[in-house]
Amino acid sequence: MEFPRLTRDITIQRDDAGVPHINAKSRDDALYGLGYMHATDRLTQILFARAVASGQAAQAIAPRDELLETDRFFRRVGLHRNQPHEMEYWPEDIQHEVHHYCTGVNDGMKAIGHTLPMWATGFEATPWDPVSVLYIGNLLSFGGLAVSQLENERIVIELIQAGGDEDALRELFPGRLEHVDFDLVRQVHNVRRMSDEALEVLMDLPRLAGSNAWVVGPAKSKSGAPILCSDPHLETNRLPAIWYEAVLKWDDNFAMGATLPGCPLFAVGRTKKISWGVTYMKGDTTDFFIEDVRKSEEGNWQYRRDEDWFDYHVREEAIGCKGKPATMMRVFENPQGVLEVDPEQFGDGYYFSLAWTGTQARSGMAIASWLQMLRAESTAEGLDVAKHCPQPTLCWVVSDVYGNIGLQGNGRFPRRRHDVSGLGPVAAWDARNHWQGSIGIDQLPRIYNPECGYIATANEDINQPDHPKLVSQTLPDYRKRRIVERLNEMEQITVTDMQQLQYDLLSIQAREILPILLPFAPDELKERLKGWDFRYDPASTEAVAFQRFYRNTLLEIFGHERGMGPRRTLYLVTRAGFSSMIIAACDAILKKDLSLWWQSRDKGEMIHTAGKKVLLEKETTWGQFNSFHFTDRFFGGGHVGRLLGFDSPQYAMPGCHATVFQGHVLQTATRESTFAPSYHLVTDMAKEEAWTNLPGGPSESRFSWYYKSDVPRWLEGGYKRIAPQKATPTESSPPKELPEKPLP
């Protein structure tokens, strides 16, 4: 097809799946071509994302309450403030490459003009520039990832303020709340919580809330070269897909995999020499502090440090809204964070403030790290690149053509007082509670060529003994353990084996929890579940029965008024809300013989009551119970969306939160949402190719052939081959001896 307004000597061709293959003479021109195609296929997506990240969505897109709330949220955090300066920290070659990428976006934007959603909302585009790239990067780091940590910290605060039993809550989060003064937390004005509608806006962002990545070394693979697998998990039922697949070729090198529209980065991919995948570490880079606030005699709002009082720095933000005059919002800041609310609302007293390491200088160097990964010549070099990436907190899995495999954690973590976990708030007037710089990058997790011959990560607790604590949440490790279990069982591993593992539906959680529940189940329920294979297959009725049995048990044990409360528990453990932190914590309690959560009640009787309630519900299959619809991000939902074909028929979602294929469906305020693999990549380093699928396609246009061209593959577990275009694919065998490279 023709691509008008191209100003570089490059060729762009689509393969049968619509994936663009960009062939250029230099990496600069290849990145220009990537920018051009991002604008060609995803213009609305990148422009609307920039409006959200800069806190101008209600002004630029539509005067909707949830967009206005999101704008206030991002402007209060200050996501927009440092971006113009961050590009100055980039090395000259990175500035050069980002410039070429942005030029490509702008040329593509000129060729496209206005998209249908832009026309429908009256959206006016402005040129793409390096600051725009930084906005999109920060939107991923904070809006898509740090917010999940933030919301879990809010849950802890709400549980404390609701009057739950102090000792029982400490048991639920062992070793993480000992530093928290419950009485003080209960005196603080209520923490600001985003509405479900505003959270839905954030749900559209790339949130690696659960991901898998693993690599097997030469000794375990049939080809004698590493095989790397990666599948980041996020919302998958909103089209266009979050990721944009592309193949770039220049000089004697190439890059291919999943790119983030608006940024010149490959989140998951490979080059001629290395491959990489990432999972979200769920590292704790946010904290709530408690501030003692008063209004001085001069009318200034002040905060206390020991016995002294200091004036807040007050920042005023003009919040625009299309068709309405702008309103002013005051933001109160000090070196420890930003107040959650304007104290004028409640007067003198205790308030929560929020701190995030991403507002510190040089956070934008993350963009440089992603671009530098394209230059890495080996696993060791790739791990060094990843180590210096300041945000978001990730576990990188890397392999190379020489047979090396490795894992590297990254992120800028605050150095807290030794007995403070970060999960609960602390008093800001005590200087001992302040952050004391950052944890050194040499303290971050690193693995290189382990004896077992493989590496796997799946959002498990990555904390290491005798090292600073990087993760404060209680995290489930079921997916990680299932991956390791299968890798231990296999030898002579092939690409096909790894593709099948990415679609594995066995739940270790169910395998471990069911024996605890089954002895107390009613006889009819015992008969239903005793022969279950623990697989969340769409045809399984046992999976539904277990899920209901498990849900009801949590409601009986944790949902009493002195616990988490019935309504809050129902929200946290069902499709309506769901918190993996709470689920992991509850599972740990269920495995105990004695617990404060049932000290005055009989555990077996509560489980039996939960089982009887299951028998009152109609039997159904997992595919009917855990179903979803694809819908359009811009026009989906409602009568018009259905009438014009923007909403799909109902599909069965295999798997659950605890299976390798994490097929989790949840219901928010106005629509269903999903967490599932948003991209599958498997690559054998013996061949210059990768096997992939994703829930979507290249184009954001509902009327394009490539709008959802990969959906059938994704649903059925089929993969397509992508490779740099050339006459004959070249196969290479890794040398029998590893090259002499210094150990990282």
Side-chain angles (χ1 to χ4, degrees), residues 359-661:
T359 60
Q360 298 171 4
R362 297 183 179 272
S363 293
M365 287 298 292
I367 300 297
S369 297
W370 291 100
L371 281 168
Q372 288 163 347
M373 189 63 69
L374 300 180
R375 298 190 182 93
E377 294 283 320
S378 67
T379 293
E381 290 182 21
L383 299 181
D384 284 340
V385 169
K387 181 170 71 171
H388 288 87
C389 184
Q391 62 169 340
T393 66
L394 301 171
C395 289
W396 299 65
V397 174
V398 184
S399 73
D400 63 28
V401 294
Y402 307 107
N404 301 300
I405 63 175
L407 176 145
Q408 176 66 55
N410 81 279
R412 181 181 290 163
F413 295 87
R415 186 177 295 279
R416 302 179 178 92
R417 203 175 77 185
H418 70 93
D419 57 345
V420 172
S421 73
L423 186 60
V426 291
W429 53 84
D430 186 343
R432 296 174 301 171
N433 292 330
H434 297 175
W435 290 351
Q436 305 297 322
S438 300
I439 294 172
I441 59 176
D442 289 333
Q443 299 271 15
L444 301 176
R446 188 170 183 128
I447 303 172
Y448 190 70
N449 289 335
E451 290 186 9
C452 65
Y454 63 81
I455 300 169
T457 179
N459 315 114
E460 74 282 3
D461 190 336
I462 200 76
N463 288 330
Q464 305 173 92
D466 303 321
H467 279 69
K469 302 300 182 188
L470 307 178
V471 176
S472 63
Q473 296 184 25
T474 308
L475 298 170
D477 63 356
Y478 299 118
R479 285 181 288 112
K480 160 72 179 293
R481 287 162 56 198
R482 176 58 178 168
I483 293 166
V484 168
E485 180 178 83
R486 290 293 297 126
L487 294 180
N488 279 331
E489 294 170 350
M490 291 189 284
E491 297 292 342
Q492 296 291 297
I493 294 172
T494 66
V495 166
T496 300
D497 294 330
M498 297 295 89
Q499 292 170 351
Q500 292 172 351
L501 182 51
Q502 286 187 328
Y503 277 81
D504 189 273
L505 302 179
L506 186 142
S507 168
I508 285 184
Q509 182 207 30
R511 196 169 68 189
E512 294 180 349
I513 298 297
L514 184 58
I516 298 172
L517 306 184
L518 209 56
F520 306 104
D523 290 341
E524 183 181 342
L525 187 57
K526 282 183 182 178
E527 287 300 311
R528 277 199 219 172
L529 291 174
K530 68 179 182 180
W532 181 38
D533 61 3
F534 312 112
R535 296 181 185 276
Y536 280 75
D537 185 276
S540 173
T541 58
E542 296 91 343
V544 179
F546 169 75
Q547 202 66 20
R548 288 170 171 170
F549 192 14
Y550 172 72
R551 174 201 65 196
N552 293 345
T553 298
L554 297 190
L555 288 171
E556 291 292 328
I557 292 177
F558 300 98
H560 58 90
E561 292 298 343
R562 287 292 294 163
M564 294 192 292
R567 294 182 62 184
R568 183 175 290 106
T569 304
L570 180 65
Y571 178 82
L572 291 174
V573 303
T574 67
R575 287 167 55 128
F578 196 82
S579 165
S580 60
M581 178 185 74
I582 295 295
I583 292 296
C586 291
D587 284 0
I589 297 293
L590 283 179
K591 294 174 182 178
K592 291 184 172 184
D593 293 326
L594 299 174
S595 170
L596 294 173
W597 287 91
W598 56 75
Q599 58 182 342
S600 60
R601 301 174 296 165
D602 185 272
K603 178 183 177 183
E605 288 182 4
M606 288 188 289
I607 295 174
H608 185 76
T609 300
K612 288 196 296 185
K613 292 179 180 179
V614 175
L615 299 176
L616 301 177
E617 299 184 74
K618 181 181 178 181
E619 187 174 83
T620 187
T621 66
W622 184 250
Q624 294 168 324
F625 180 82
N626 202 52
S627 60
F628 73 102
H629 302 78
F630 284 106
T631 188
D632 188 82
R633 293 183 186 277
F634 313 119
F635 293 113
H639 177 71
V640 174
R642 290 188 293 272
L643 182 66
L644 297 180
F646 287 101
D647 294 343
S648 78
Q650 188 176 57
Y651 291 103
M653 177 71 82
C656 70
H657 75 282
T659 58
V660 176
F661 188 99

Side-chain angles (χ1 to χ4, degrees), residues 29 31 55 66 131 149 164 196 323 334 338 360 433 462 464 472 535 602 693 709:
D29 285 347
L31 291 172
E66 65 269 25
V131 173
Q149 170 72 29
D196 284 348
N334 65 24
V338 180
Q360 298 171 4
N433 292 330
I462 200 76
Q464 305 173 92
S472 63
R535 296 181 185 276
D602 185 272
N693 66 43
S709 52

